[in-house]
Amino acid sequence: MSELIYEKKGVIVHIKGPVVIAEGMRGARIREVVYVGDERLIGEIVRIEGDKAIIQVYEPTGGVKSGEPVERTGEPLSAELGPGLLGQVLDGLGRPLEVIAEEAGGPFITRGIKALTLPRDKKWHFTPLKRVGDEVVSGDVLGTVPEGSIIHKIMLPPTIEKAKILEIVPEGDYTIEEPIAIVEHIGGKEEIRMYHKWPVRTPRPFKEKLAPVELLVTGQRVIDTFFPIVKGGTSAVPGGFGTGKTVTLHQISKWADADVVVYVGCGERGNEMTDLLHTFPKLVDPKSGRPLLERSVLIANTSNMPVPAREASIFMGITYAEYYRDMGLHVVLTADSTSRWAEALRELSSRLEEIPSERGYPAYLPDYIASFYERAGRIKVSGDRDELGSVAVIGAVSPSGGDLNEPVTQHTMRYVGAFWALDKDLAFKRHFPSINWLRSFSKYTSGLKNWWIDNTGHDMMAYRDKAMDLLQRASSLEEVARVVGEAALSDENRLVLLSAELIKEGFLVQNAYHEVDTYCSPKKQALLLKTLLEFYDRTRPMIDAGVPISRIAEMRSLGALRRLKFIPEEEFEDAVKEALAQLESEISSLLAEVR
Amino acid sequence: MSIHGLIYKGIDQVKGPLVIMRGVPGAAYEEVVRIYSEDGREWFGQVLEAGRDKIVIQVLGDTEGLDSNVMVRFTGTTLKIPVSDEMLGRVFNGAGEPIDGGPKIRADDIRDINGAPINPAKRDYPDEFIETGLSAIDGMLSLVRGQKLPIFSEAGLPHNEVAAQVARQAVVPGKAERFSIVFAAIGLKYDDVLYFRRQFEEFGALSRSILFLNLANDPVIERITTPRVALTAAEYLAFDLGMDVLVIITDMTNYCEALRELSSAREEVPSRKGYPGYMYSDLASIYERAGRIIGRPGSITFMPILTMPGGDLTHPIPDLTGYITEGQIFLDLDLHNRGIYPPINVLPSLSRLMKDGIGPGKTREDHKEVSDQLYAAYSQGTKARELVQIVGEAGLSPREKLYLEFARRFEREFVAQGFRERRSIEETLEIAWDILSILPEAELTRISEKTISKYHPKRRAAARVE
Ligand SMILES: Nc1ncnc2c1ncn2[C@@H]1O[C@H](COP(=O)(O)OP(=O)(O)O)[C@@H](O)[C@H]1O
Ligand SMILES: [Mg+2]
C-alpha cells in the first residue's frame, strides 16, 4: 500500500471572512503561500489538520464558494530583494500600488491582482567586484549598482554558504532577471541574479550583534536630547488619537540621519500615506542632496485595506530593512501602528477559535511583539568584510482609550530601549511633540555622553540632567499651585516655574510645520539648551537681591529667548549672543532699581 | 454545479438573526439570499459562513414568523444597489429602496455597497479650505474638501444644528457650485429627520440631496447597511459625476450598537465594552470612503455625528472613530449650559488636515500662527478658570487674571455666534486679533514678530497715527 503524501491542489470546504478551510492539501506546510478560489486570491496557510489546511486570505473573500480550488505555491511568504526597492510604494504584500492601479484599471483596489515588487525591465549599471575563480561566502559583494541615493551592493544570498565564481559579467547595464554570475557550490552550479527572495518571517543572518552606541539624530529636540534613540536601537511611541504619533514618525522618516528609511503604514489613514507621497519627492535628503523618496521604501496597508495583510506588512518592511542593513547601511524602520498589527493577529486568533488571553489577544502576543523588535540592532555584516550595519525600529502604539495599561503597550515597553509616552493634556494645549518628560524613558542616554562632546563640543547630557531637574521641580510645584494658586508660592519657587516654562516653550515645543523649527541640529540643540538654562542661573540671585518675580517675568529678553529656536542655524550664534546681552542689560538695570 | 438562482425548501435552525442550513454546497461567502414563507412574507439575508456542510445566513430584519418551512433563494451576488443621478431629491430606506412613493431608480450602474478601498497612491491630498462661516471651525479646526471630520456630541447638545449650519453655509471659496448632500439617518427619531428635511428644504438643498432613512423603529440590522448604501451613492455622485458631496451620517453610535448586537448574536468574543474586536476595521471601511481621487473632479467630505455615551471621550465609539477620522469637533455640555452656541470646545477638537488647507493664497498668512496662539492662550485661560474654583479670583496672579478674561472673551466673542450668522474667514481672524490684543506682546510666543507687526491691532493703529 502506498500513501498519498503530496497534493498540488486542494478544494475549499469552508469560508468565514478571511479564514478559508481547504481539503486535499496533503504535504502542505505552515506559512506556505496559496492561491485561493477561482480569482486566485493570495493566502497563507496558518494551520494544518490532517489533509485540511486553514488559510488566512489576504484579500476580501466575498463571493468565494466551497468547491473552488486552492493552488499551492510551495513557497513561504517572501520579499523580493534587489535594486528597485527604493522609491517604491507597496502594499502589505509587496505589490507596487501603481501596478495595482494599472491592473485594476482605476483608483479602487480590486482582487486577485498579482504584481511583482521589483521592476523587471529596468536596467541597472552593474560593476563587478569579483573575478572568475574567486572563492566567495554568503554576504560577499559580487558587484554594485547605483540605486537612488545609495550604492546598492549585490551580495551572495544567505542561501549559498560558500561558492566559487565560474563566470561573472563585465561592467554594463543589466536587468534583474539577467544572470550576472554563475557560481559553483556543494549543491551544483547556480545562476546569480541581482535579486533574490527571502521569507519575511525569518530574520536575515549576520555575523554578530553589537551594542548600539551612536545617536540617531532625528532633529527633534525632545527626542535627541531627552529621550534619544541610537542607530540600531528601538523605540515605541504610545499615545491616544491626536497626540502626535504619526507626525513624530513622519518627522523621523524625513529628518533622521539614516541611509535608508522604511515606512510602514499599517492599518492607518489613507491620506497620511498620500501626504508622504506628496512631500517625499519634494524634500531633499541633506546627506545625498537627492529627493527623500529615493532613500525610502513606503508600505501602505491602510485601515480599509484587508486586515490580514496588516500582519504581513510589518514583516515585509523589516525584511527590506535588514536587506539594506546587510549592505552596511544605517536603516530606520517606522511602523504606524503596531497596535493595528497586533489587532490583526487578535482577529485571526479569534477566527481560529484560539483561547483568548488579556483583552482577547492570544497568549503568544508578547513573543510576537518581541520577534519584531528583536530584528532591530547594530550588527557586523555577513561575508568577508568588516562592515557594520544597523536597523533602528520605531513603532507607534495606539492604546484603546489612551490607556497605557493595555497589553500591547505593556508588552512593547519591555522590549524597547526608548519609550516616548505621548500625553493628551499636552496635545490639547498644542504642546507638540506631546512627549511627557516624566513618563518617558531612554536607556541610551548614559552611553551618549561622549557622542555629544565629540560631535558638538558640549556636555549635553549634563545640560539634560540640569534641565530635567528644573522640569521635575516645576512639576511638583505645579501640583501645589493647583491647590493654592501660583500667587501663593514664594518668588523663588515661581522663578523655577518660569524657568521650566522657558525650557518647555523654548526647547521642548517644536513645530513640525515651521520652516526652521521642523529640524534642529545637535549643535543648535546644545547651544539652545545651554542658553536657556543660563536664564535660571542668572536670574536666581536677583530673587535674593529683592527683585520681585513679576518684574523678572516681564523682561523683554524672555520673549527673545523663547523665540530663539526659530532662528536659522546660520544666524543662531549671533542671535544667542544678542539675547544674552539683552538679558544682562535688563538684569543690571533691575538690580540697579532695587539697590 | 451552481445553485445560484436555485431555490431550497427548508432550513435547519433559526438562532436570533441567524439561519443555519445544512447540505447546501456552493453558497458564496457574503452572497445575498431571499427567504420566502408560505404565507407570502419575504426576508433578505446574507451568507456569513459558507461551508460545504453547513452555511450560516444572517437575516436582515425581524425574523419573527421565520420557520423551518421557508424557501431560500440564492441570488448569486453580494449586496448591491442601483445608482444614478435620479437619486438626487429622493428618499430611500437603509437598504437603498425608495420610500417616498416615487418611481424606481433607473440604474446607471449597480454597485456593491461595500465599495472597494481607494488605492492610497491614487488619492489626491485634500488641501482646499472650506469656509463654513463658523469661527470655531474655520479659525481653529479648518475643514478641507475631502476630509472626514466627525462631530462628537452628547444627548441634548445641538449637534443637528451645527451640522445643518455647516451644510447650509459651506462653500469652497472661488467655487460657484454648492455641495450636494447625502444624508443618512441611523436609528434616529422621526423628529430629528424632519428637522434636517426642513432645513434642507429651507435653504433650497433638497433637489441636490439624497436622504437615506433608518428610523428608530426600523430594522436594527439595516443600521449596518445604511451608511454603506449612502456612501455608495455618494461615491457615484463624487467620483463618477464629479460632484462635491457633503455626507452627513447620524448617529454613528446607533450603528455601533447594532454592530455589537449582531456580534453577540454570532457569539463572537467581544473586545472592550462588548463591542467586537473588528469594530476599528469595520468603521474604517466606512470612514475611509471619504476623500479625493487623482484625476477626478469630485470629492466626498464626510461629517458623521456620534453621541458619546456618558460624554466619555475614551468610550470605544468615539475612541475608535478618532483613531480613523481626520480630527474631531467636540461639543461640550459645559459650554452649552453656559449658553454658548455652537458649544465647540476647541481644546479636545482637532482638524488634522488644517495645515495644508490654510495660509497664504488659501486663507491668510497669519491664520496658522493665530490659531496656534489661540489654542495656547485659551488653554491657559481654562487652567486659570479651574484655579478660580479653588482659590477664588482674588488668589490669581495678574497674569492668570488676564488669561481668565481672555478665555471668557474667546468663548463669548469668537466661539459663540448665531445659527444664521455666517462669518468670513477675515472676520473670524479679525475677532481673533481683537481678543489676542488684550495679552502683552511678549506672551504671543507662537506668533512671529513679522506677523505681529503686520496684523496686531495696536501696531496697525500706531501705523495709522504715523
Ligand atoms: N510636532 C508637531 N508640530 C505641530 N503639530 C503637531 C506636531 N505633532 C502633532 N501635531 C498636531 O497634532 C495632530 C495629530 O497628530 P498625529 O501625529 O496625527 O496624531 P496621532 O497619530 O497620535 O493620532 C496633527 O494633525 C498636528 O496638527
Ligand atoms: Mg496617527
Side-chain angles (χ1 to χ4, degrees), chain A residues 240-242 244-247 263 268-269 272 336-337 396 398, chain B residues 323 352:
Chain A
F241 62 88
K245 299 179 292 296
T246 303
V247 174
Y263 187 99
E268 292 287 314
R269 299 177 185 84
E272 288 172 351
D336 189 10
S337 158
S398 320
Chain B
Y323 270 120
R352 293 164 188 270

Side-chain angles (χ1 to χ4, degrees), chain A residues 13-17 23 61-66 97-98 100-101 107-109 239-242 245 267-275 277-278 300 302-305 307 310 340 343 346-347 356 359 398-402 428-430 481-487 494 505 509 511 513 562-563 566, chain B residues 4 26-30 48-52 54 116-126 152 239 269 271-272 277-278 280-281 284 288 293 296 313-314 318-319 322-326 328 346-350 352 355 368 372 375-376 379 387 390-391 395 397 400 441-442 444-447 452:
Chain A
V13 295
H14 201 91
I15 309 114
K16 186 182 181 185
E23 263 178 21
T61 52
V64 176
K65 299 188 289 289
S66 61
L97 289 178
E98 283 299 339
I100 292 181
F108 295 96
I109 300 178
F241 62 88
K245 299 179 292 296
E268 292 287 314
R269 299 177 185 84
N271 278 328
E272 288 172 351
M273 293 311 299
T274 314
D275 188 7
L277 285 178
H278 277 240
T302 55
S303 58
N304 55 339
M305 285 159 79
V307 175
R310 272 183 217 167
R340 306 302 166 214
E343 282 162 15
R346 176 172 71 184
E347 207 163 317
R359 297 243 182 132
S398 320
S400 51
F428 283 0
K429 276 192 240 173
R430 269 54 180 178
R482 212 162 287 147
V483 183
V484 298
E486 202 186 307
R494 288 176 66 185
E505 267 302 316
V509 170
N511 188 345
Y513 307 128
R562 284 191 186 122
R563 292 205 188 92
F566 295 124
Chain B
H4 300 119
Y29 177 65
E30 285 186 342
L48 208 64
E49 216 175 298
R52 187 180 54 189
K54 168 186 155 190
I118 303 177
N119 187 327
K122 291 292 146 191
R123 279 185 188 269
D124 210 353
Y125 195 65
F152 284 10
F239 303 132
V269 183
S271 178
R272 244 188 354 136
Y278 52 78
Y280 172 82
S281 305
E288 278 284 327
I293 288 175
R296 307 213 176 173
L313 187 60
T314 67
D319 187 49
Y323 270 120
I324 304 163
T325 53
E326 283 140 359
Q328 65 276 344
V346 298
L347 297 177
S349 300
L350 169 69
R352 293 164 188 270
K355 65 176 165 75
K368 171 88 182 109
D372 281 351
Y375 272 116
S379 115
L387 205 55
I390 303 162
V391 296
S397 67
E400 284 165 334
E441 273 179 34
L444 305 181
T445 50
R446 307 268 168 117
I447 307 183
I452 289 182

